[in-house]
Amino acid sequence: MADSKADCLFCSILSGDVPADIIFESETAIAFRDINPQAPTHVIIIPRQHIPTINDISADDQTIVGSLYTAASTIAVAEGVADDGYRVVMNCNADAGQSVFHIHLHLLGGRALGWPPG
Ligand code: 5GP
Ligand code: ZN
């Protein structure tokens, strides 16, 4: 499990070492298009701070984590999915299928999304 900054894919995207289609940047967060999109709009929103999982979020991180959601609403408008609807989801650990251990919101939209998820 890549749970340290040194071997974290999303920290490498933040540093510019790994290229990504970055569509949003703020003081606390960036967003880029998912490499394997599951919907017409599939954007990954990450904090600049390396936090491995939801379980590692502390009270001090609340402003940063909140900024992921304000980023999501801004991006949803820019992507044209705000009115029809979209989903934001953050997976935690194995049962949820988390594969990159730097917290991130998935923003999915552009089609009707099934519920419950698989
Ligand atoms: P998780 O499974 O951890 O919730 O989500 C990780 C997401 O990162 C997946 O949807 C996966 O497609 C995406 N991803 C993995 N590697 C890369 C990459 O190198 N670039 C981009 N843009 N997305 C990636
Ligand atoms: Zn990281």
Side-chain angles (χ1 to χ4, degrees):
M1 179 194 299
D3 61 359
S4 76
K5 267 186 91 158
D7 53 5
C8 172
L9 172 64
F10 288 172
C11 282
S12 297
I13 288 177
L14 277 162
S15 70
D17 290 342
V18 170
D21 185 1
I22 295 170
I23 62 163
F24 174 92
E25 293 190 70
S26 75
E27 224 174 272
T28 53
I30 73 164
F32 49 86
R33 296 196 189 281
D34 197 290
I35 204 166
N36 182 26
Q38 302 301 310
T41 292
H42 188 173
V43 174
I44 299 290
I45 306 165
I46 69 171
R48 292 187 186 274
Q49 181 176 318
H50 179 86
I51 301 170
T53 78
I54 296 173
N55 297 335
D56 302 301
I57 295 170
S58 72
D60 287 347
D61 301 328
Q62 288 185 67
T63 301
I64 286 170
V65 174
S67 79
L68 304 180
Y69 286 88
T70 53
S73 66
T74 299
I75 292 163
V77 170
E79 292 288 309
V81 299
D83 289 343
D84 283 347
Y86 59 96
R87 182 171 297 157
V88 289
V89 62
M90 186 181 287
N91 296 319
C92 182
N93 281 338
D95 275 3
Q98 184 177 3
S99 61
V100 179
F101 289 86
H102 178 135
I103 59 167
H104 48 280
L105 287 180
H106 295 256
L107 189 162
L108 297 144
R111 66 172 172 83
L113 300 163
W115 191 264

